[in-house]
Amino acid sequence: MRILVTGAKGMLGTALLPVLSRNHTAWGIDVQDCDICDAAAVSAYLRSHPPDLLIHLAAYTNVDACEANPQIAEETNAFGTRNLAAACAEIGAAMLYVSTDYVFDGTREGAYGEEDAPRPINVYGRSKWMGEQHVRSILKRFYIVRASWLYGAGGKNFVTTILKAAHQQKTLRVVNDQRGCPTYTHHLSAKIAELIQTESYGTYHITGSGSCSWFEFAQAVLELWLLDGVEVLPISSDESGRAARRPANSVLENRALRQIHLEPLPHWKTALAEFLEEIGQTDLGFNDPSV
Ligand SMILES: NC(=O)c1ccc[n+]([C@@H]2O[C@H](COP(=O)([O-])OP(=O)(O)OC[C@H]3O[C@@H](n4cnc5c(N)ncnc54)[C@H](OP(=O)(O)O)[C@@H]3O)[C@@H](O)[C@H]2O)c1
C-alpha cells in the first residue's frame, strides 16, 4: 500500500513510519511540507502525491495550551482533519485518524467502550471529537483509533518528564485522581500496522492493557529505573493547577479490537519496562537545565 502519514515528526509518527516502511511504501509530511489548516494546499498535495491510505496524526496536542488558544485547536484538530478527509474523498483514499481518550467526560464507573457517547470537557477533547465527526460524515472507508497517555522516543512525554524531574528534585507531586491507560508508541504502531491489513473499518480503542493513575505511573517509572531517594506524593487535579480539566476516568476498553481477533497491547507496566530499556542507553540530558 502507499501510505501517507501526517504529523510524521511527532512522537507517534517517529515510531510508526519505520514500522509501516517494512511492508509498505510509506512517507511522512509535517507542517513544513503541508499545513493541514490550508484546504487548498491539502487538496493539491494529496492530488500530486496520492496515497491508498492516509494516516492522520498531525494535531495541536498541548492540552493546556488549547484552553488559551481554542481557535488554533479547532482550526488544526477539527478543520485540518476535515480538509484531509475531504481530500481523501476526492482521490478515493481511505483514512485512519488517531483520536483520544479525552473525548470522554470521565464520569463513567468502568472502562469506556467504543459505543459510549463522547462528551469532552476540555478544548482539546472537543476539537478532536469534532475531527472524528468530520471523518465519519465525509468518508465511508475510515478507521478512528482512540489512543491514550502516549509515551515513546521522539517527543515530550510523561515518562521522560518524571525521570528528568527526579534527577533534579527529591520530592515530586503527581496527580492521583485521574485514571487512564499508558500506551507505548511502539506497541500502538505495531497494532495500527496490523489493523490496516484487515480493512475492518470503524472505531477502535487501542491502549496499553490495565490502568493506573498518573501517580501510580510515576511510582512505576522510578521503581523500574531503580531510582532511590526520590519521594512521589499524590496530589489532586485541583492542586496541580493545570489550565485544562481532564477526565477523572479515561480508561478505554479495547472491545472492537477483540471482535476482529487482534491481540490486545501488552500490560502498561511491561511496556514501560521495555521503553525504559530502550532509552537506557540514551543521553537524556538530565544535567542540561535547558532540556
Ligand atoms: N500524546 C498523547 O498522549 C496522545 C493521546 C491520545 C491521542 N493522541 C493523538 O495522537 C496523535 C499523535 O500524537 P503525538 O503525541 O505524536 O503528537 P505530537 O508529538 O505533538 O506531533 C504532532 C505533529 O503534528 C504536527 N502539526 C501540528 N500542527 C500542524 C499543522 N497545522 N499542519 C501539519 N502538521 C501539524 C506537529 O508539527 P510541529 O511540531 O512542527 O508543530 C507535530 O509534528 C495526535 O493526533 C494526538 O491528538 C495523542
Side-chain angles (χ1 to χ4, degrees):
M1 249 190 292
R2 284 174 51 83
I3 305 178
L4 169 62
V5 179
T6 68
K9 291 190 186 135
M11 184 168 62
L12 181 55
T14 303
L16 181 61
L17 255 184
V19 174
L20 296 174
S21 298
R22 284 183 210 142
N23 297 310
H24 303 280
T25 303
W27 74 103
I29 52 171
D30 241 286
V31 68
Q32 297 81 1
D33 311 295
C34 175
D35 181 347
I36 63 166
C37 302
D38 181 342
V42 166
S43 169
Y45 185 89
L46 265 78
R47 281 177 179 281
S48 57
H49 307 78
D52 302 308
L53 171 70
L54 173 82
I55 299 190
H56 174 35
L57 311 179
Y60 186 47
T61 55
N62 185 327
V63 177
D64 291 312
C66 282
E67 295 297 307
N69 305 296
Q71 207 176 329
I72 303 177
E74 193 168 308
E75 267 169 25
T76 311
N77 299 345
F79 301 145
T81 302
R82 182 195 61 194
N83 293 340
L84 288 159
C88 283
E90 274 172 30
I91 61 166
M95 182 168 173
L96 184 149
Y97 172 55
V98 176
S99 186
T100 170
D101 53 328
Y102 284 3
V103 298
F104 295 115
D105 67 8
T107 58
R108 202 181 196 293
E109 285 284 316
Y112 283 92
E114 285 85 354
E115 70 296 342
D116 282 318
R119 205 158 63 84
I121 57 171
N122 59 39
V123 170
Y124 169 74
R126 265 194 295 280
S127 65
K128 293 292 290 186
W129 169 230
M130 285 169 74
E132 284 194 19
Q133 293 177 88
H134 287 307
V135 173
R136 285 195 186 88
S137 67
I138 295 171
L139 291 167
K140 288 201 177 66
R141 292 188 307 130
F142 65 84
Y143 308 91
I144 289 173
V145 170
R146 295 196 188 116
S148 69
W149 294 26
L150 289 184
Y151 64 90
K156 186 175 176 332
N157 66 77
F158 181 80
V159 178
T160 47
T161 300
I162 286 293
L163 286 176
K164 179 167 189 277
H167 279 80
Q168 295 172 345
Q169 301 156 37
K170 287 277 160 247
T171 307
L172 309 182
R173 290 179 171 75
V174 184
V175 168
N176 198 27
D177 56 7
Q178 294 167 27
R179 229 178 153 73
C181 307
T183 306
Y184 183 23
T185 53
H186 267 313
H187 293 164
L188 175 58
S189 298
K191 201 52 66 179
I192 287 176
E194 285 181 48
L195 178 62
I196 60 175
Q197 297 295 351
T198 66
E199 297 191 14
S200 297
Y201 298 107
T203 301
Y204 293 87
H205 291 172
I206 309 186
T207 63
S209 297
S211 67
C212 61
S213 70
W214 291 112
F215 167 71
E216 290 163 341
F217 193 18
Q219 281 185 315
V221 171
L222 299 187
E223 235 173 73
L224 291 167
W225 195 254
L226 303 177
L227 204 66
D228 291 332
V230 179
E231 189 183 23
V232 190
L233 298 178
I235 59 167
S236 67
S237 300
D238 284 348
E239 285 170 289
S240 79
R242 306 294 289 269
R245 282 178 68 208
R246 268 102 168 148
N249 165 32
S250 63
V251 177
L252 303 184
E253 194 182 352
N254 293 198
R255 194 178 301 149
L257 209 57
R258 278 205 312 276
Q259 280 164 353
I260 59 164
H261 310 294
L262 292 189
E263 287 286 312
L265 264 50
H267 190 271
W268 67 267
K269 220 166 172 180
T270 311
L272 175 61
E274 210 178 294
F275 174 57
L276 292 175
E277 178 101 21
E278 182 197 341
I279 62 172
Q281 305 303 321
T282 316
D283 175 11
L284 293 172
F286 290 138
N287 298 319
D288 175 356
S290 67
V291 175

